[in-house]
């Protein structure tokens, strides 16, 4: 009896000691994200849980910011009170932080985990000065989402090229439906329309040159793109400047509009509003100038380590974990987006499959105007697009103003 | 006596003598220190910063007056200035509007106190809530204002989407609490109007407008003065409603200087702290005029023993 | 009394007035009534496009959802943690400064006074970058202390104006007689003047509470995230999450607006006294 009691006591003491020592040894990993919308929030919850399960000696502290507010907040927390990991975007968008030395070089993570091979499609957009500055974990396709019931109502079929698309618009107008809808209050939805029209009219290389500041905004080719855009402006929802993209989504859901140039993240919103795979359609943006190779928009979301991070070792582990084919499959299944890792698998969802085919057969991938162009140019450009959509007659003034900004923004 | 003096430590005597001279400075010290550090010095720091190009992350580059020359050639600057003028002019409507509501409510019917409180209500809620309320009011499709214009006109009017009139829509939202504030000032002022003068004027046959103009308004001068100053300052400083209702849009047409400054220095696409500081300095210079006017009047009042 | 007392007018005018009052109030509070109604409207109504018809039910659950499913309760808590110390600090400091400027005659008295007054009226955007930098350097960025300290400093301008004018109106004989009796300056302040300042302290506290609770700009500049941000900035970011969910935005707005409103109705006299000080001078 005595011995059993003693063993029991010793055992308990040992267990307590082990538990508390394990507890004491838990390292903290602080992650800041802006994944406040429902699907990204759920995806990150699962990701963090899986990481903690695979790394029981690490405890994750997750700070979730509102999506729009994060864009201001990140500039503050990178300077003061940096987390160990923060999400952001690729390409020109991460350049200011890289140049200011606020992101950590993670080329070692890429090399150690074979990411140059597995994340090949996004490698270029993660590289500055030959080094890698973060890990991409998802991208998604853009295209035209359309309401099949609205198409039926106007007696219209899917357009094979731009001329047919514009002709359809007139038929929609007769049926009392807006051919195109968008919510331009936050500015960026207009950029999606511009990027596609420019790439389809003038080609991917020209678009990249324009966003890199090598071409003048008053160039004849730019005007040609706007001329094509002008063809659909009269058929666009009124008052788009006062509504957000989610309000415009309601227009598509309710059949008040037929087409919406959007990213695949919007499918969740369309479906919550009541659309199904039966009446929600997806179109690749139609060809405008015949013969131009088809480029697509595929903005990439990324994860970075701030150079002021306290726990860089575990942060690097997290990046490797995030880059793995398995986790990318899982995350993107929840997000409804596409894994960057080419060893991942995609779901059976028709939109995902369509996107996967669209992007893998694309000639090249753009990152979206507000990531391909530097911040000042992006803001002026998008304001110009919004103004053009409300007042197409102001085109000359707009282009001259943008040209003036280009002179200053690319120093 | 002399013995007692010898026994007293010299320091205590010095303190007792100079207490009254030092006391004000000791009382002022904590408040002044805070004010100096957080208000006075930053004004000069901003002025200094406006001569540099700084993205808030890296090193500062000396520009001299280049920020200002760029500013005076900047279209957005003039749009902001124009909007500030619209704010200033329209905001002044709060003063007579407040006066008339005060006169309207200056009766002693039952429950008038409840009415006065409820009319004052908009001043007590945050500008964020006011902005959200009016965004809802103007919203295309279902907003009350939109529906009203639809009912009158056939098609609804989304004022926040129209670059010509968006500022008017926002100013209307701002007038709501501002009128409430002026109203309270005037209600108190009306309470203190001398009843003898009013009676005397009535006996002379004055009523309505002439009574208001000749007898009442002169007695309301202190209230009017404060109402005007606070309204002017409020109009020039306004930021919250622009930020919440339109974020400066559509395409920057509702910008005001205080918002443009924030956009340039601290927003998602704004990395130009020096340029933002220059805008702030210009705004400050503009506001120095009414502030100095107010101080000047206060100085005169103080000197005349008021 | 101006205008003509209503009892002295015709019965017709009297009825007209009694009708005009509620109508005017209704029109005046229309945006508020609309939002209150929307806050109780079930989400299904809004999705179906029923914005102004009879609500299909009274969805008090909107308030529950707004309060519990989001960080709104955290934001409210943050607002209290920021506002109350600020009120104590600003009012406390200004009792000292107001006393100094109201009681003592010294050469730079008016100059210091006007510095406080002018500082209160400046466009505070000019302070934005330097104050943010200072707060970062003091490691107070995104802390309650960081935001509170700034507010205390800035409100000292208005509060000093207020207190100084109030103290100046107190009878100076009290202080003179105390001095003759050899009372120290500090004791004159704490034992004699402070008790007389109670109504002013009450009025000023209510006012400052309202100003700070409702303040938005500095909340966005100096804080981030639900751990520290007060309800004004928090409501704005929740609005970003709740796009097109007007029933939640409305409910959240009303919850956020409640504390100053309740305080206003409870302490009206003080509130109005505070705002109108000086409006009847001269």
């Amino acid at each position: 009896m005595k011995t059993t009691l003693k063993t029991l006591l010793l055992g308990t003491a040992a267990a307590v000691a082990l538990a508390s020592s394990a507890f004491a040894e838990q390292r903290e990993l602080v992650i800041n994200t802006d994944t406040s919308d429902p699907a990204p929030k759920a995806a990150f919850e699962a990701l963090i849980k899986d990481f903690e399960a695979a790394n029981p000696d690490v405890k994750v502290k997750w700070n979730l910011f509102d999506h729009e507010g994060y864009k201001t907040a990140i500039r503050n927390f990178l300077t003061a009170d940096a987390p160990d990991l923060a999400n952001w975007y690729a390409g020109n968008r991460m350049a200011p932080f890289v140049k200011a030395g606020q992101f950590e070089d993670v080329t070692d993570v890429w090399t150690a985990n074979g990411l140059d091979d597995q994340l090949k499609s996004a490698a270029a957009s993660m590289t500055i000065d030959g080094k890698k500055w973060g890990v991409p974990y998802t991208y998604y396709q853009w295209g035209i989402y359309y309401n099949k019931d609205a198409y039926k109502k106007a007696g219209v079929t899917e357009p094979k090229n731009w001329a047919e698309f514009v002709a359809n618009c007139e038929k929609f107008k007769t049926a009392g439906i807006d051919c195109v809808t968008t919510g331009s209050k936050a500015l960026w939805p207009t950029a999606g329309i511009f990027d596609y029209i420019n790439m389809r009219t003038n080609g991917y290389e020209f678009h990249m040159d324009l966003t890199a500041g090598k071409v003048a905004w008053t160039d004849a080719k730019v005007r040609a793109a706007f001329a094509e855009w002008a063809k659909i402006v009269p058929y666009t929802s009124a008052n788009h400047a006062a509504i957000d993209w989610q309000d415009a989504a309601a227009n598509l859901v309710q059949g008040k509009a037929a087409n919406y140039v959007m990213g695949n993240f919007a499918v969740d919103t369309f479906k919550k509003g009541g659309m199904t795979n039966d009446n929600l359609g997806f179109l690749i943006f139609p060809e405008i100038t015949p013969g131009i190779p088809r480029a697509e928009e595929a903005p990439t979301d990324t994860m970075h380590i701030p150079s002021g991070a306290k726990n860089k070792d575990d942060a690097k582990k997290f990046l490797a974990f995030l880059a793995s084919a398995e986790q990318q499959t899982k995350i993107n299944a929840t997000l409804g987006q596409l894994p960057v890792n080419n060893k991942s698998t995609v779901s059976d969802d028709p939109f995902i499959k369509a996107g996967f085919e669209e992007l893998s057969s694309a000639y090249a991938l753009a990152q979206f105007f507000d990531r391909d162009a530097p911040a000042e140019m992006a803001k002026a450009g998008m304001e110009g697009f919004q103004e053009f959509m409300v007042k197409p007659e102001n085109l000359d003034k707009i282009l001259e103003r943008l040209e003036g900004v280009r002179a200053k923004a690319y120093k | 006596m002399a013995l007692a003096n010898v026994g007293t430590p010299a320091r205590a005597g010095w303190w007792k003598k100079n207490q009254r001279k030092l006391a004000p400075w000791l009382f002022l010290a904590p408040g002044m220190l805070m004010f100096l550090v957080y208000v006075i010095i930053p004004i000069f720091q901003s002025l200094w910063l406006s001569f540099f190009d700084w993205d808030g992350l890296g090193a500062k580059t000396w520009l001299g007056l280049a920020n200002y020359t760029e500013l005076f050639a900047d279209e957005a600057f003039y749009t902001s200035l124009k909007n500030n003028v619209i704010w200033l002019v329209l905001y002044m409507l709060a003063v007579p509007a407040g006066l008339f509501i005060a006169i309207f409510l200056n009766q002693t019917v039952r429950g008038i106190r409840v009415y006065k409180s409820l009319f004052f209500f908009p001043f007590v809620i945050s500008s964020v809530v006011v902005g959200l309320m009016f965004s809802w009011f103007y919203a295309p499709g279902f907003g009350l204002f939109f529906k009203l214009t639809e009912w009158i006109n056939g098609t609804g009017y989304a004022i926040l989407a129209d670059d010509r009139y968006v500022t008017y829509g926002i100013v209307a939202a701002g007038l709501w609490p501002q009128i409430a504030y002026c109203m309270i000032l005037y209600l108190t002022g009306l309470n203190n109007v001398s009843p003898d003068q009013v009676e005397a004027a009535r006996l002379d046959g004055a009523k309505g407008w002439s009574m208001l103009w000749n007898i009442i308004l002169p007695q309301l001068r202190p209230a009017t003065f404060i109402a005007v100053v606070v309204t002017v300052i409020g109009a020039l400083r306004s930021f919250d409603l622009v930020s919440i209702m339109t974020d400066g849009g559509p395409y920057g047409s509702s910008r005001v200087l205080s918002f443009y400054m924030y956009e340039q220095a601290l927003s998602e696409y704004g990395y130009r702290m020096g340029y933002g500081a220059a805008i702030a300095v210009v705004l400050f210079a503009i506001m120095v005029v009414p502030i100095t006017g107010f101080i000047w009047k206060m100085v005169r009042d103080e000197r005349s023993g008021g | 009394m101006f205008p003509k007392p209503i009892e002295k007018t015709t019965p017709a005018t009297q009825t007209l007035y009694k009708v005009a009052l509620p109508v005017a109030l209704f029109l005046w509070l229309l945006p508020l009534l609309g939002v209150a109604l929307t806050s109780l409207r079930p989400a299904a109504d809004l999705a179906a496009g029923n914005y102004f018809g009879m609500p299909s039910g009274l969805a008090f659950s909107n308030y529950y959802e707004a309060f519990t499913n989001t960080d709104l309760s955290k934001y409210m808590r943050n607002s209290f943690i920021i506002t109350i110390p600020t009120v104590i600090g600003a009012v406390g400091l200004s009792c000292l400064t107001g006393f100094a400027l109201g009681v003592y005659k010294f050469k730079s008295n008016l100059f210091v006074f006007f510095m406080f007054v002018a500082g209160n009226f400046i466009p505070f955007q000019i302070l934005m970058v330097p104050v943010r930098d200072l707060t970062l350097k003091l490691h107070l960025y995104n802390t309650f202390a960081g935001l509170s300290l700034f507010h205390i400093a800035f409100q000292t301008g208005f509060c000093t104006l207020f207190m100084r004018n109030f103290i100046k109106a107190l009878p100076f004989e009290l202080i003179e007689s105390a001095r003759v009796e050899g009372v120290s300056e500090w004791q004159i302040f704490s034992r004699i003047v402070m008790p007389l300042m109670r109504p002013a302290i009450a009025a000023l506290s209510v006012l400052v509470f309202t100003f700070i609770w409702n303040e938005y700009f500095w909340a966005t500049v100096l804080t981030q995230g639900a751990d520290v941000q007060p309800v004004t900035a928090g409501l704005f970011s929740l609005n970003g999450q709740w796009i097109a969910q007007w029933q939640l935005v409305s409910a959240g707005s009303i919850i956020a607006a409640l504390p100053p409103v309740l305080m206003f109705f409870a302490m009206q006299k003080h509130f109005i006294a505070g705002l109108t000080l000086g409006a009847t001078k001269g």
Side-chain angles (χ1 to χ4, degrees), chain B residues 167-241:
Chain B
T167 299
Y168 296 98
I170 306 177
V171 173
L175 276 174
W176 199 44
Q178 193 67 17
I179 293 176
Y181 175 74
C182 293
M183 177 200 81
I184 278 288
L185 283 180
Y186 278 122
L187 272 177
T188 314
L190 284 173
N191 267 344
N192 290 301
V193 161
S194 141
D196 300 329
Q197 282 196 38
V198 175
E199 275 315 303
R202 278 231 175 85
L203 289 175
D204 279 346
K207 57 185 192 159
W209 284 104
S210 69
M211 168 80 91
L212 176 65
W213 190 257
N214 295 313
I215 308 292
I216 307 295
L217 277 184
Q219 291 188 56
L220 290 177
R221 213 171 268 149
T224 306
F225 179 68
I226 295 197
V228 167
V229 170
V230 173
T231 303
V232 166
I233 304 277
L236 293 174
R237 283 213 286 218
S238 68
F239 169 89
D240 293 5
L241 289 176

Side-chain angles (χ1 to χ4, degrees), chain B residues 81-96 168 171 175 231-232 235-236:
Chain B
L81 209 54
K82 181 192 81 166
N83 283 330
N84 270 119
V85 170
I86 295 178
W87 269 88
L88 190 56
V89 170
L90 288 184
Y91 231 44
M92 296 313 295
L93 289 177
V95 179
Y168 296 98
V171 173
L175 276 174
T231 303
V232 166
L236 293 174

Side-chain angles (χ1 to χ4, degrees), chain C residues 84-107:
Chain C
I84 294 178
T86 301
V87 171
I88 297 173
V91 176
L93 277 185
S94 60
C95 286
L96 297 171
T97 52
F99 180 74
L101 294 173
V103 166
Y104 297 92
K105 288 183 177 44
F106 52 97
K107 253 200 326 214

